[in-house]
Amino acid sequence: MNSAKRTVTSRGRVIAHPKRFTPTTPSPLQLPPPQLPLSPLLQTTADPPLNPKAVDLNRKRKRLVGSKVTHMPSLTFDDESDDEADDDSDVSEDDDIVNQPAKKIMRTTSSCPAFDKENIDITDNNERINMNINNVYIKLNTSFNDNMKKFEKRFNRLTSACLSSKNSSLDQFKSSSADGFQLEVLCGSVNLLDVCARNYGDYARQILRILYTTEELCSSILPTDSTHFARKPLDIVRFRKFHDAIRNKYRIASNKYDEFYHFCLRRKLVDFLCDERKRQIKRKEKLTNNRQQQQQPTHLQEAPSHHQQQPRHDEQLPVHDQQQLSNTAKNDSSTENTNHLD
DNA sequence: TGCAGACAAGAGTCGTCCAA
DNA sequence: TTGGACGACTCTTGTCTGCA
């Protein structure tokens, strides 16, 4: 995956031979809700219409006003005299039908007073039907939203319960038998299994601090197959020893260790490495401030030597963190991590 | 009470996989 | 070939907890 053409993002990620440009689009939450073609009475929420055909119903409603309800499949208000008009109209017709006057309207132009009175009654009846349809849609929409909210609450409770149980209990990953586990995992002369810790997270951090130097922890990421990251992965040989220590310390079944590492440990380790970087930057800032304070007052240069702090071994920053520190001081994060490419 | 460490949440970005 | 889903890492911000 490594290629000669590599670019670096503002956050320091190495883009090895980008294949596809992913445009930055506003999140769906930032986008305006879709404009529903339904009437304003139905647009109580941003939810899409329950039935996609509601769009068609809405368009038909244009035609229904002032006409007779002849195209509502679920309603049977037709009388037999409308059959002629219905024969020439089709539900599947498009805008032409909507824009064209319905044939029923042609009958309202009759000079017969009886027909006029009948059409007025039909119009009033249609308006009442439309109002009823709107009310039904509103009730359905409200009921759907209420049920969705209830479902969301239940789902969130279930999710949190699953996550809490998964994070809090090691028992589900432990082996049923104590056989097959090592009594010692040596790192030099230190048996890693003798290290005491409050919990597996604390133990993992201590083991990492034993296996790796602070520089390595601050300049590396967890071992991964991907090569597009700016920081190099931790040494895989020592990381296998880390896995051995964790698995043997807490008697985790070998067939469940992957799941344990993925769900319980990985995130802790990622945050640990990130926090190590922050801590080192903080230490470096303190060291820099102390040096500046020592250099500024000339009359204090002859002060006792215990003010002069010698940099610790773990305070030697890698190149990219020095760059990051300088960028932090400049309040300009746009140029960080640009000089630490391999 | 202040500080340091651990942890969590979320946004941003990228690569990979896979279905259309 | 394209775009969505998903996983992974980085970074920021904030909260919680233990300790001196």
Side-chain angles (χ1 to χ4, degrees):
Chain A
M1 287 300 294
N2 285 325
S3 75
K5 185 177 182 181
R6 297 162 73 97
T7 59
V8 182
T9 65
S10 61
R11 287 186 170 182
R13 189 190 307 277
V14 173
I15 307 170
H17 147 80
K19 295 176 180 177
R20 189 175 70 243
F21 172 69
T22 304
T24 302
T25 57
S27 65
L29 294 176
Q30 295 172 337
L31 292 173
Q35 296 298 320
L36 298 180
L38 292 173
S39 68
L41 287 174
L42 300 181
Q43 296 180 14
T44 55
T45 67
D47 295 330
L50 296 176
N51 183 3
K53 291 186 176 180
V55 176
D56 296 330
L57 289 175
N58 186 42
R59 291 170 65 184
K60 285 168 197 163
R61 194 158 53 243
K62 284 184 186 175
R63 183 187 177 187
L64 290 173
V65 173
S67 176
K68 185 169 172 53
V69 181
T70 57
H71 303 299
M72 296 300 292
S74 59
L75 301 175
T76 56
F77 296 100
D78 269 346
D79 55 12
E80 294 179 0
S81 63
D82 296 327
D83 290 339
E84 288 182 13
D86 289 340
D87 290 340
D88 293 334
S89 61
D90 191 355
V91 175
S92 62
E93 290 178 13
D94 278 342
D95 292 338
D96 292 338
I97 291 181
V98 176
N99 295 330
Q100 287 176 359
K103 289 189 176 180
K104 188 64 68 178
I105 297 177
M106 296 294 291
R107 201 173 60 180
T108 62
T109 59
S110 169
S111 60
C112 178
F115 280 161
D116 291 342
K117 183 177 184 303
E118 179 186 354
N119 284 326
I120 291 173
D121 293 340
I122 290 172
T123 302
D124 294 340
N125 191 26
N126 289 339
E127 290 177 354
R128 283 198 302 272
I129 291 170
N130 289 331
M131 289 295 293
N132 289 335
I133 292 173
N134 282 340
N135 290 334
V136 168
Y137 270 110
I138 291 172
K139 287 179 180 177
L140 283 175
N141 201 18
T142 304
S143 174
F144 177 77
N145 289 333
D146 291 343
N147 287 329
M148 284 300 294
K149 287 177 182 176
K150 291 178 183 177
F151 175 76
E152 187 178 2
K153 285 183 178 178
R154 289 183 181 180
F155 184 75
N156 288 336
R157 279 201 298 268
L158 182 63
T159 302
S160 60
C162 289
L163 290 177
S164 62
S165 65
K166 213 172 189 57
N167 290 333
S168 61
S169 177
L170 262 177
D171 296 338
Q172 57 183 319
F173 301 109
K174 285 191 174 180
S175 175
S176 57
S177 66
D179 298 334
F181 291 103
Q182 305 171 20
L183 295 178
E184 59 180 17
V185 177
L186 293 176
C187 174
S189 60
V190 178
N191 183 9
L192 298 180
L193 300 185
D194 290 340
V195 174
C196 296
R198 298 192 303 270
N199 48 50
Y200 65 87
D202 187 37
Y203 180 75
R205 284 184 287 272
Q206 292 192 44
I207 296 302
L208 283 183
R209 285 190 172 112
I210 293 174
L211 290 174
Y212 299 96
T213 65
T214 306
E215 292 179 23
E216 288 174 316
L217 294 178
C218 294
S219 61
S220 305
I221 58 176
L222 295 179
T224 174
D225 293 335
S226 302
T227 59
H228 62 279
F229 301 113
R231 294 181 170 85
K232 64 182 186 303
L234 289 170
D235 180 34
I236 188 64
V237 177
R238 280 176 282 173
F239 207 76
R240 287 198 191 101
K241 193 167 288 188
F242 165 81
H243 286 316
D244 289 341
I246 294 287
R247 200 177 76 80
N248 288 282
K249 176 80 172 179
Y250 293 96
R251 304 293 174 91
I252 297 172
S254 58
N255 59 341
K256 295 180 180 177
Y257 181 77
D258 288 345
E259 188 181 3
F260 164 76
Y261 175 75
H262 183 81
F263 286 108
C264 299
L265 209 53
R266 216 188 125 274
R267 181 71 201 207
K268 291 178 185 292
L269 299 181
V270 169
D271 285 341
F272 168 68
L273 294 180
C274 186
D275 289 337
E276 278 290 294
R277 287 180 214 123
K278 289 187 288 189
R279 282 189 284 270
Q280 186 157 12
I281 292 173
K282 224 172 185 177
R283 284 195 297 265
K284 190 67 180 177
E285 283 178 347
K286 274 189 176 180
L287 189 65
T288 306
N289 292 334
N290 289 338
R291 284 176 178 170
Q292 289 178 351
Q293 289 177 358
Q294 289 173 5
Q295 291 174 356
Q296 280 180 352
T298 56
H299 62 282
L300 293 179
Q301 283 182 353
E302 298 175 356
S305 60
H306 66 271
H307 287 292
Q308 298 177 359
Q309 298 180 5
Q310 293 297 327
R312 287 163 46 191
H313 169 70
D314 56 3
E315 289 171 343
Q316 299 297 322
L317 285 174
V319 177
H320 68 275
D321 281 339
Q322 292 177 8
Q323 177 73 21
Q324 188 176 7
L325 175 62
S326 64
N327 290 335
T328 304
K330 296 174 185 174
N331 289 329
D332 183 10
S333 61
S334 63
T335 59
E336 66 179 358
N337 293 328
T338 56
N339 295 333
H340 60 282
L341 299 179
D342 49 352

